[in-house]
Amino acid sequence: MSQKKKQSSTMLNLLLIIFGAIFLIQGVVSLLVSYFGITMPLWVLGTLGATTEAQALLGATGWSNIALGIWALIAGIAMFAEEEWALGQALVVLSLMAINAIPLAVSSIVASAWGVAYTYVYIFVGIVGVFGFIYLIATSRRYH
């Protein structure tokens, strides 16, 4: 007798895909700034400012954001298929997103950067990363 799997959380899957796209775009922007010398407006850079030194720091995080974005996209899409490996990948991606976003959210809040869009993105990604991780742990039995 085949046991039917429950549907995964559509909202969490979509958020993984959206956050993956955001991290991917952020990584590409970081690489454009650091390796090609393209000057980005302040609202894109967030609290770093548009100084040459601040822009140079973006290159190293650009590659990791691109990788994290790609893996989040893959995990979000695969979670719709209820794949067991996608659960593990989503747990890793959500924890890394939370680890990356929470310190940036705190520094943006401390700097009173409420006019920067990334402040809100960091806060939202951090919250969803933590609660999404807890949710997947609590509901992981359905993937076995």
Side-chain angles (χ1 to χ4, degrees):
M1 178 193 293
S2 175
Q3 197 176 34
K4 187 175 179 176
K5 290 183 181 179
K6 293 181 182 176
Q7 171 100 18
S8 65
S9 171
T10 302
M11 181 63 82
L12 185 59
N13 299 350
L14 289 174
L15 286 173
L16 267 171
I17 293 169
I18 291 167
F19 291 162
I22 290 171
F23 271 75
L24 185 61
I25 291 167
Q26 188 180 24
V28 169
V29 167
S30 297
L31 292 180
L32 288 174
V33 168
S34 63
Y35 292 117
F36 298 106
I38 296 172
T39 303
M40 295 290 166
L42 183 60
W43 66 270
V44 173
L45 293 175
T47 58
L48 287 175
T51 65
T52 306
E53 296 82 20
Q55 291 180 6
L57 294 173
L58 294 173
T61 61
W63 290 111
S64 62
N65 281 349
I66 288 173
L68 188 57
I70 290 170
W71 286 116
L73 287 169
I74 292 170
I77 293 167
M79 288 288 286
F80 281 113
E82 295 288 334
E83 295 291 336
E84 191 171 343
W85 61 266
L87 168 70
Q89 184 172 330
L91 287 169
V92 171
V93 166
L94 286 169
S95 65
L96 289 175
M97 284 184 167
I99 288 168
N100 284 325
I102 291 172
L104 292 170
V106 169
S107 68
S108 294
I109 291 168
V110 168
S112 296
W114 296 110
V116 178
Y118 273 119
T119 301
Y120 302 101
V121 171
Y122 295 143
I123 292 169
F124 191 60
V125 169
I127 290 169
V128 170
V130 169
F131 287 109
F133 183 87
I134 293 168
Y135 172 78
L136 286 179
I137 290 291
T139 61
S140 65
R141 188 171 298 271
R142 72 171 166 220
Y143 292 91
H144 302 296

